[in-house]
């Protein structure tokens, strides 16, 4: 089984530092938007794909979910998640965790999920259509799928300069040279190489529709109207870093 980049010690450490930062894209953009899309979770069974350290799972339990299940490829992430969740909830009755890639979702014993979520992870998936089929098979009729991922205008980047800048070095335009060129992207973070996958907005939406989902809400949050964050997140005034989609399984 493939290993998670997040199990590299420096990668996990830096990730934890980012998560603990109260002024981060995760806290300012991702979590508020993701949580605003949630349906009523009272007595619902929820699956979180790429659950990381279980922050979202804990929130779902606080909102009244009867059972939450987390799946992640990172052993370090799940170890932290289990430790944190066990402080307030009993394992097996309230939560369960599986160390598996999302592509092997069909191997977990739980099914009939009312809600499936995934934060900032689907851009790691090569075969999105196959994943959607496996998600649908694990859901109840009329279940809700909510996910965020890197926005396609971000994932399209291949090489060269991401931004066009003026003489004052200010960002004035984001380059989309390779937007229509779907497929694998080589990435690096903290000098650690990893891969993500680019799909156009049309491909993402069409594959959801073909998998039997009805798209009911799309969000592309930016900070143009939140001047308090402009110095901290200069580039988010011009383009959305994340794409959020809420969809309902038709049957």
């Amino acid at each position: 089984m493939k290993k998670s980049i997040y199990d590299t010690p420096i990668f996990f450490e830096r990730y934890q530092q980012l998560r603990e930062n109260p002024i981060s894209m995760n806290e300012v953009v991702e979590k508020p938007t993701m949580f605003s899309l949630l349906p009523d979770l009272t007595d619902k069974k929820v699956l979180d794909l790429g659950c990381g350290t279980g922050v979202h799972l804990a929130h779902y339990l606080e909102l009244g979910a009867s059972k939450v299940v987390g799946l992640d490829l990172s052993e370090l992430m799940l170890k932290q998640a289990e430790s944190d969740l066990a402080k307030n909830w009993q394992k097996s009755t309230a939560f369960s965790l599986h160390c598996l890639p999302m592509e092997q979702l069909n191997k977990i014993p739980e099914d009939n999920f009312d809600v499936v979520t995934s934060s900032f992870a689907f851009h790691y998936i090569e075969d999105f259509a196959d994943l959607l089929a496996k998600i649908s098979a694990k859901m109840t009729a009329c279940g809700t799928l909510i996910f965020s991922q890197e926005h396609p205008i971000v994932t399209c980047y291949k090489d060269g300069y991401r931004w066009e800048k003026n003489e004052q070095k200010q960002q004035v335009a984001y380059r989309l040279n390779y937007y229509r060129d779907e497929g694998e992207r080589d990435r690096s973070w903290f000098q650690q190489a990893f891969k993500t996958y680019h799909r156009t907005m049309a491909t993402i939406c069409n594959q959801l529709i073909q998998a039997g989902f009805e798209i009911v809400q799309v969000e592309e949050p930016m900070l143009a109207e939140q001047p308090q964050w402009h110095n901290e997140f200069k580039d988010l005034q011009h383009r959305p870093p994340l794409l959020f989609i809420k969809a309902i399984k038709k049957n």
Side-chain angles (χ1 to χ4, degrees):
M1 185 174 70
K2 65 181 181 179
K3 300 294 290 183
S4 170
I5 186 66
Y6 290 94
D7 283 337
T8 305
I10 188 171
F11 213 93
F12 182 72
E13 179 183 347
R14 296 295 174 84
Y15 172 83
Q16 289 288 71
Q17 290 173 359
L18 287 177
R19 284 291 188 174
E20 292 167 2
N21 179 7
I23 305 176
S24 66
M25 186 167 67
N26 182 65
E27 294 296 324
V28 174
V29 178
E30 206 282 334
K31 284 172 65 176
T33 307
M34 191 73 177
F35 293 164
S36 73
L37 297 174
L38 292 172
D40 181 6
L41 295 186
T42 304
D43 296 326
K44 296 295 192 297
K45 190 175 181 181
V46 186
L47 170 66
D48 192 32
L49 299 172
C51 67
T53 57
V55 173
H56 286 61
L57 297 176
H59 184 64
Y60 301 157
L61 287 168
E62 290 167 357
L63 292 176
S66 59
K67 177 70 179 286
V68 298
V69 177
L71 185 148
D72 202 283
L73 183 58
S74 169
E75 295 177 0
L76 288 178
M77 293 280 194
L78 291 180
K79 183 177 179 181
Q80 185 67 54
E82 182 168 353
S83 174
D84 292 345
L85 289 168
K87 293 175 183 177
N88 297 303
W89 292 280
Q90 184 176 352
K91 189 179 179 182
S92 77
T93 57
F95 72 93
S96 60
L97 303 170
H98 301 280
C99 188
L100 287 170
M102 283 185 275
E103 296 93 331
Q104 295 181 24
L105 167 62
N106 56 304
K107 291 186 177 182
I108 69 171
E110 299 91 347
D111 55 14
N112 293 319
F113 291 101
D114 302 291
V115 180
V116 177
T117 65
S118 181
S119 293
F120 220 167
F122 281 177
H123 49 273
Y124 293 113
I125 298 300
E126 181 176 8
D127 192 338
F128 187 49
D130 180 70
L131 177 64
L132 289 174
K134 289 173 180 173
I135 290 172
S136 178
K138 288 288 185 179
M139 296 177 70
T140 59
C142 301
T144 303
L145 169 64
I146 305 169
F147 68 91
S148 68
Q149 66 157 76
E150 284 190 326
H151 198 285
I153 68 171
V154 176
T155 60
C156 71
Y157 171 76
K158 270 191 173 182
D159 56 27
Y161 294 104
R162 283 182 180 267
W163 289 93
E164 178 182 339
K165 298 182 180 182
N166 61 21
E167 293 179 356
Q168 290 73 43
K169 305 298 183 182
Q170 295 173 321
Q171 297 164 338
V172 295
Y174 191 80
R175 294 194 170 102
L176 304 177
N177 308 47
Y178 302 99
Y179 182 82
R180 68 178 182 179
D181 184 8
E182 297 187 320
E184 186 178 289
R185 298 292 191 266
D186 291 317
R187 307 279 291 275
S188 178
W189 194 46
F190 300 124
Q191 299 181 333
Q192 300 292 319
F194 63 99
K195 294 183 184 297
T196 59
Y197 296 89
H198 169 63
R199 286 173 281 274
T200 65
M201 180 75 81
T203 293
I204 292 168
C205 292
N206 286 333
Q207 288 186 347
L208 279 162
I209 294 167
Q210 290 158 10
F213 288 94
E214 177 185 357
I215 299 170
V216 296
Q217 191 168 350
V218 177
E219 296 293 341
E220 299 175 297
M222 290 177 280
L223 302 175
E225 297 178 357
Q226 295 173 266
Q228 69 271 31
W229 300 117
H230 286 184
N231 288 333
E232 187 74 24
F233 301 101
K234 293 182 177 64
D235 61 334
L236 302 194
Q237 300 173 52
H238 302 284
R239 49 92 188 175
L242 297 174
L243 169 68
F244 295 78
I245 294 182
K246 180 176 182 177
I248 305 298
K249 180 180 174 181
K250 289 185 178 180
N251 50 52

